[in-house]
């Protein structure tokens, strides 16, 4: 399961905070589940080092910092998955042409490396 019907409005409740797929399930098409869980853990640890007045402020800052990067990767992965999993002859031809062109232009490499670049 890598998709939720509704996005979580908050990744914390009281003293409990979610990280990784529990907070933002990643489709498997960019291989980012573990990377993003590690980035979440680093971002959360940085905020729990007494830089914030209390855990609520640390949790809110963690959520704010990680929401855009994880949302962007989820979207990229969903789009890539839709392209990769084409079944019809026309869909397969489109997929093959898409990856040929984006590979030649270096776009595919940038998309894959984007998720591997730490942003915490």
């Amino acid at each position: 399961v890598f998709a939720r019907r509704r996005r979580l409005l908050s990744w914390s409740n009281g003293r409990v905070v979610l990280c990784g797929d529990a907070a933002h399930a990643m489709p498997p098409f960019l291989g980012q589940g573990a990377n993003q869980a590690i980035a979440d853990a680093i971002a959360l640890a940085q905020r729990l080092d007494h830089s914030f007045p209390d855990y609520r402020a640390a949790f809110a800052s963690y959520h704010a910092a990680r929401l855009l990067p994880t949302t962007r990767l989820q979207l990229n992965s969903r789009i890539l998955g839709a392209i990769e999993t084409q079944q019809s002859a026309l869909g397969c031809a489109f997929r093959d042409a898409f990856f040929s062109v984006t590979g030649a232009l270096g776009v595919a490499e940038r998309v894959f490396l984007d998720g591997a670049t730490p942003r915490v």
Side-chain angles (χ1 to χ4, degrees), residues 40 58 92 101 109:
D40 285 354
C92 290
V101 170
E109 181 180 4

Side-chain angles (χ1 to χ4, degrees), residues 58-82:
F59 289 176
S61 174
Y62 152 70
H63 183 241
R66 295 293 300 143
L67 185 61
L68 181 61
T70 57
T71 300
R72 190 180 75 249
L73 284 169
Q74 285 173 321
L75 179 60
N76 287 347
S77 189
R78 284 187 184 121
I79 292 167
L80 187 62

Side-chain angles (χ1 to χ4, degrees), residues 43-118:
L44 183 58
Q46 289 172 337
R47 284 153 178 84
L48 291 174
D49 73 351
H50 307 292
S51 299
F52 289 86
D54 62 27
Y55 70 89
R56 287 178 196 89
F59 289 176
S61 174
Y62 152 70
H63 183 241
R66 295 293 300 143
L67 185 61
L68 181 61
T70 57
T71 300
R72 190 180 75 249
L73 284 169
Q74 285 173 321
L75 179 60
N76 287 347
S77 189
R78 284 187 184 121
I79 292 167
L80 187 62
I83 294 168
E84 283 181 0
T85 58
Q86 292 296 308
Q87 306 255 336
S88 70
L90 182 59
C92 290
F94 172 79
R95 176 199 60 217
D96 295 347
F98 175 84
F99 284 113
S100 178
V101 170
T102 59
L105 295 174
V107 173
E109 181 180 4
R110 279 180 275 175
V111 168
F112 280 98
L113 290 178
D114 178 53
T117 304

Side-chain angles (χ1 to χ4, degrees), residues 20-43:
D21 280 350
H24 49 74
M26 285 284 159
F29 305 104
L30 284 174
Q32 288 302 308
N35 287 352
Q36 297 311 305
I38 292 167
D40 285 354
I42 292 168

